[in-house]
Amino acid sequence: MIPRKTIYRLSIYLRCLARLRENSIGTVSSEALAKAAGVKPTQLRKDLAYFGTFGTRGLGYDVNELLQKISEELGTSSLQPVILVGVGNLGLALLSYRGFEKEGFEIIAAFDTDPDRKRDKKISQPIFGMHDMPKFIREKNVKMAILSVPPAVAQNVVNTLVDTGIAGILNFAPIVLAVPEDVMVNNVNLAIELENLSYFIQG
Amino acid sequence: MIPRKTIYRLSIYLRCLARLRENSIGTVSSEALAKAAGVKPTQLRKDLAYFGTFGTRGLGYDVNELLQKISEELGTSSLQPVILVGVGNLGLALLSYRGFEKEGFEIIAAFDTDPDRKRDKKISQPIFGMHDMPKFIREKNVKMAILSVPPAVAQNVVNTLVDTGIAGILNFAPIVLAVPEDVMVNNVNLAIELENLSYFIQG
DNA sequence: AAGTGTTTGTGAATTATTTCACAATGGCAG
DNA sequence: CTGCCATTGTGAAATAATTCACAAACACTT
C-alpha cells in the first residue's frame, strides 16, 4: 500500500512537472525534479516505484509521460464536483478562490444557515439553505465537501454530510471531527500552523 | 529532540484541554483526552513524556496544569506579532478571520503591491506598500509572516522576508519555496488537500 | 492502614519511512 | 558495434514513529 505521505508528494511532483512543461522542458532527471519539489532524489524514485517504472536509465523521465501517469494515479484526470458548507469569511474567500478549477476541482454550490445574508463579495456559485443540502448531494452525487462552519456546529453538519454520502471532507473548523472510518477528513487549522511555526523559530 | 508531529499534536491537545476547561472539567485521563484529540492513549502519553511528567497515576491529568505546561512548551504564552503579505482574495479573508488572536497571534499589518486598491471588505489592519515592508519588519521585530501572494512572485517576496529577519513563513502560494535552513516554512496548499482526499475516497 | 482498582510512564517490540549503495540499463560518442 | 557515462530502480540498512505490555504509583474504599 502506498504511504499517505507519498500521495502528498505525488501532488507536489505533479505541479513541478506542470511548470517544467510550461517551460517546454521535455525530460527531467530525478535529481532535478527532486530539487524542484524539495525532496531527495532517492525519495522521489522510491515514491514513483510504488506504482510503476517510468524513467529511462541514463536519461531521466519524460515530463509529459510522467505528468500523465501521476495524474492517472491520483485520479485527477476528471473534474470532481465539490460543495462548500459555511459561507462566512473564510468560506466566501474559498468560493472566490480561482485556484481549484485549474487543478481539477469545481465548487459547484455552497450551503449556509443563512443563504440570503448580505455578503460583500460577488461569487459565481449559488448559495442554498442547509435543508437543501442532503437532496443536492444525493442528486448530484457529490463525494467531497469543504467545511468552513463555526466549530460549535461542525460535528452536526458532518453527521449530515456523512449520512448523505460524502466520503471526503476538507475541514477548516478548529475541532477534531468524529467520522466513520471509511470517511476521510483532511484538517486545515491555521492557528495550529502558526503555533507550530512559532515553536520552531524560537528553538 | 521532540518530533515535529508531536508538536502538532500538542497544539491539538491544547485545544481539547481548553474545551474541557470551558466545561469545568478538572481532571482527564489519557484515554479520554486521546479520544477527544483523535489519537491513541499511548501516543498521548508518549508525546507528553517528551517534555515532562504531569499526570497522577490512578487519576489522570489536571486540566489546568496540563494546559499551562503545554502552553509553555509551545511558547504560546505570549502574543506573537505576524504580518501578512499579499492582500488578494485569500489574504483579505485571513485578515478578517478572527480566530488568531484567541490563539495568541495578531496580524498587525498587511503588505501588497497595490495597497490602495479597492477591496470589498472592511478590515482593521493597515495595508502598506511592499517597499515599506523591510523597514516595518525590522522596526517591529516581526518574526513570522503569512504569505498569500501569487505563485509567480512568491520566491521573490520570500527572499526579501528572509533578508529582513523573518524566521517562520506560513505559505499559501502553491509553490515550493527555497529558504535557508534556519527559516521554517509551513505550506498550506488547498488544491493538494483536495487532490489527496480525492485519491483516498476512490480507493 | 491495608487492599483494590485505575491510570500513568516507559523500555522493548513493532511498524513505517527514509536513505544508502550499487547493480542494471539505456543513451551516446567514436 | 563497443565502451563509457549518466541515471534509474531497488534490496538492504538506517532512522523515525507508533504501539505494546507491564511495572510503578497513586487514589479511594473499607
Side-chain angles (χ1 to χ4, degrees):
Chain A
M1 196 233 167
I2 306 186
R4 201 197 151 112
K5 284 191 166 183
T6 291
I7 302 299
Y8 255 94
R9 286 192 296 264
L10 289 183
S11 287
I12 297 173
Y13 305 150
L14 203 57
R15 279 154 188 79
C16 295
L17 287 165
R19 293 218 302 157
L20 290 173
R21 183 163 64 177
E22 279 167 26
N23 291 41
S24 307
I25 293 169
T27 46
V28 66
S29 69
S30 63
E31 190 176 346
L33 182 53
K35 190 170 185 189
V39 304
K40 292 216 158 61
T42 49
Q43 183 157 67
L44 166 58
R45 297 206 296 271
K46 194 60 121 182
D47 283 342
L48 297 182
Y50 277 111
F51 66 105
T53 83
F54 315 106
T56 310
R57 297 180 189 215
L59 192 63
Y61 300 91
D62 182 273
V63 171
N64 276 309
E65 189 194 329
L66 190 54
L67 201 55
Q68 173 71 27
K69 295 291 182 175
I70 296 181
S71 191
E72 269 170 28
E73 180 63 22
L74 289 176
T76 323
S77 327
S78 59
L79 202 76
Q80 275 262 11
V82 181
I83 59 164
L84 182 142
V85 190
V87 190
N89 271 332
L90 191 59
L92 203 55
L94 293 172
L95 282 176
S96 52
Y97 178 54
R98 309 272 85 190
F100 289 131
E101 293 126 61
K102 210 184 57 188
E103 315 276 2
F105 300 99
E106 188 190 2
I107 303 179
I108 55 172
F111 298 88
D112 196 287
T113 42
D114 186 357
D116 302 319
R117 174 169 31 138
K118 198 167 176 308
R119 293 179 172 86
D120 339 293
K121 199 178 283 283
K122 284 197 198 78
I123 48 163
S124 55
Q125 302 93 339
I127 305 179
F128 302 118
M130 293 296 281
H131 17 266
D132 297 330
M133 193 170 71
K135 190 158 167 260
F136 187 97
I137 292 174
R138 289 204 180 92
E139 278 179 4
K140 305 275 184 179
N141 194 30
V142 180
K143 290 291 165 220
M144 302 191 5
I146 299 174
L147 192 68
S148 49
V149 300
V153 301
Q155 185 61 57
N156 243 307
V157 173
V158 164
N159 295 346
T160 307
L161 288 172
V162 169
D163 285 347
T164 46
I166 291 291
I169 298 171
L170 182 54
N171 173 40
F172 287 86
I175 187 179
V176 178
L177 299 174
V179 294
E181 65 178 39
D182 58 338
V183 174
M184 176 98 183
V185 176
N186 276 6
N187 294 296
V188 176
N189 188 320
L190 305 177
I192 288 186
E193 296 295 330
L194 278 180
E195 202 163 282
N196 196 251
L197 276 181
S198 141
Y199 174 84
F200 283 102
I201 67 179
Q202 64 199 12
Chain B
M1 197 231 168
I2 307 185
R4 200 196 152 113
K5 285 191 166 183
T6 292
I7 302 300
Y8 255 94
R9 286 191 296 263
L10 288 182
S11 287
I12 296 172
Y13 304 151
L14 203 57
R15 280 156 187 77
C16 294
L17 287 165
R19 293 219 301 159
L20 289 173
R21 182 162 64 178
E22 278 167 26
N23 290 41
S24 307
I25 293 168
T27 44
V28 66
S29 69
S30 62
E31 190 177 345
L33 183 53
K35 189 169 184 190
V39 302
K40 290 218 160 61
T42 49
Q43 183 158 67
L44 166 59
R45 297 205 297 273
K46 196 55 123 185
D47 283 341
L48 297 181
Y50 279 110
F51 65 105
T53 82
F54 315 106
T56 310
R57 296 179 191 216
L59 191 60
Y61 301 91
D62 181 275
V63 171
N64 277 308
E65 190 193 327
L66 191 54
L67 201 56
Q68 173 72 27
K69 297 290 182 178
I70 295 181
S71 192
E72 268 170 28
E73 180 64 22
L74 290 176
T76 324
S77 326
S78 60
L79 202 76
Q80 276 260 14
V82 181
I83 60 164
L84 182 143
V85 191
V87 189
N89 271 334
L90 191 59
L92 202 57
L94 293 172
L95 283 174
S96 53
Y97 178 54
R98 312 271 83 194
F100 290 131
E101 294 124 61
K102 209 185 59 188
E103 314 277 2
F105 299 99
E106 189 191 359
I107 303 179
I108 57 173
F111 298 89
D112 196 286
T113 42
D114 187 356
D116 302 319
R117 175 170 28 138
K118 197 164 177 308
R119 292 179 173 85
D120 340 290
K121 198 180 282 286
K122 284 199 198 75
I123 49 163
S124 55
Q125 301 94 338
I127 305 179
F128 301 119
M130 293 297 281
H131 17 265
D132 297 330
M133 193 172 70
K135 190 159 168 259
F136 187 96
I137 291 174
R138 289 206 180 89
E139 278 179 3
K140 305 275 183 182
N141 194 31
V142 180
K143 291 290 165 221
M144 301 189 9
I146 298 174
L147 191 68
S148 48
V149 300
V153 300
Q155 184 61 57
N156 242 307
V157 173
V158 164
N159 295 344
T160 307
L161 288 172
V162 169
D163 286 347
T164 46
I166 290 292
I169 297 172
L170 183 53
N171 174 40
F172 287 85
I175 186 179
V176 177
L177 298 174
V179 294
E181 65 176 39
D182 58 337
V183 173
M184 176 99 186
V185 175
N186 276 7
N187 294 296
V188 176
N189 188 319
L190 305 178
I192 288 186
E193 296 296 330
L194 278 182
E195 202 162 283
N196 197 251
L197 276 182
S198 142
Y199 174 83
F200 282 102
I201 67 179
Q202 63 199 13

